[in-house]
Amino acid sequence: MEQIISIVVQNQPGVLMRVAGLFSRRGYNIDSLAVGTTQTPELSRMTVTMEADEPTIIQVVKQIAKLPEVERVKVLPPSSSAKRSMAMVKVHAGEKRIEVLRLSEVFRAHAVDVTGESLIFLITGDDNKLNAFVNVMKPYGISEMVQTGVVALERGDEHLGVDESRYEWPTLEENKAI
């Protein structure tokens, strides 16, 4: 079963490597990984998806929580989470440019570049929507494509916020004394 793990970590060099390394060392496969800063610049949020049963996901979460840079970790409930990916797809449209543009509207994809014979589309949604768009564009000739990892948030009032770190950090005055 697909599991979505949301991890709030300290925004500093090496944290991504440590978290990804934990998965690698334990032989767990990451299906999708996305990392970005949060509303608090000192923190980043990692969204990891993986196929795992309940005992495995419990073990993974326990191991992640032991890392010193991890502030919070939570498995997001699939039924009450909003999740999206993004893809950019470069299509060699040629003479069928208008046809390709009309098809892209069906998927709410946006043309972000129209140059020469090619168009670059930006599309967001779940994997099914992105895959369907790619399949529709294949006959026209996809020359390049890139897709992000899944980002997800739990619906409703629940949140994975960190009001204060679980660690004590020196204040600016204490740093000056050192």
Side-chain angles (χ1 to χ4, degrees):
M1 154 185 245
E2 182 188 57
Q3 304 285 348
I4 304 168
I5 307 169
S6 190
I7 311 163
V8 177
V9 297
Q10 297 165 18
N11 186 6
Q12 56 190 1
V15 174
L16 174 60
M17 183 186 75
R18 288 190 55 136
V19 173
L22 182 144
F23 281 82
S24 175
R25 284 188 307 278
R26 303 288 193 260
Y28 303 134
N29 187 47
I30 295 173
D31 293 329
S32 170
L33 172 66
V35 183
T37 56
T38 67
Q39 68 276 13
T40 306
E42 298 82 27
L43 301 173
S44 290
R45 186 181 190 120
M46 301 176 73
T47 306
V48 178
T49 64
M50 66 182 291
E51 290 292 325
D53 58 13
E54 190 172 337
T56 302
I57 201 68
I58 290 169
Q59 186 63 32
V60 168
V61 168
K62 285 179 181 178
Q63 292 169 350
I64 291 169
K66 289 179 184 178
L67 295 174
E69 300 89 353
V70 172
E71 296 287 345
R72 299 276 311 269
V73 60
K74 182 176 186 178
V75 178
L76 299 182
S79 60
S80 63
S81 297
K83 67 177 193 169
R84 298 289 183 271
S85 293
M86 178 185 79
M88 293 181 77
V89 182
K90 185 185 286 187
V91 179
H92 184 77
E95 298 170 4
K96 298 190 177 190
R97 179 184 304 236
I98 300 300
E99 186 178 329
V100 170
L101 283 166
R102 284 196 179 126
L103 277 172
S104 72
E105 290 174 7
V106 172
F107 291 90
R108 295 186 184 153
H110 303 280
V112 294
D113 184 66
V114 180
T115 309
E117 302 286 314
S118 296
L119 297 107
I120 298 176
F121 293 103
L122 173 72
I123 182 167
T124 60
D126 63 20
D127 286 340
N128 292 333
K129 178 182 176 183
L130 273 53
N131 291 336
F133 179 73
V134 167
N135 288 334
V136 165
M137 292 296 150
K138 276 183 183 175
Y140 298 97
I142 295 176
S143 54
E144 285 185 281
M145 181 183 146
V146 64
Q147 183 173 339
T148 67
V150 171
V151 291
L153 291 174
E154 190 170 3
R155 297 182 191 276
D157 292 334
E158 288 291 319
H159 69 282
L160 190 62
V162 177
D163 297 328
E164 61 182 53
S165 175
R166 65 180 179 168
Y167 304 102
E168 288 189 33
W169 300 103
T171 64
L172 198 52
E173 291 76 33
E174 291 172 339
N175 279 338
K176 287 180 183 177
I178 295 178

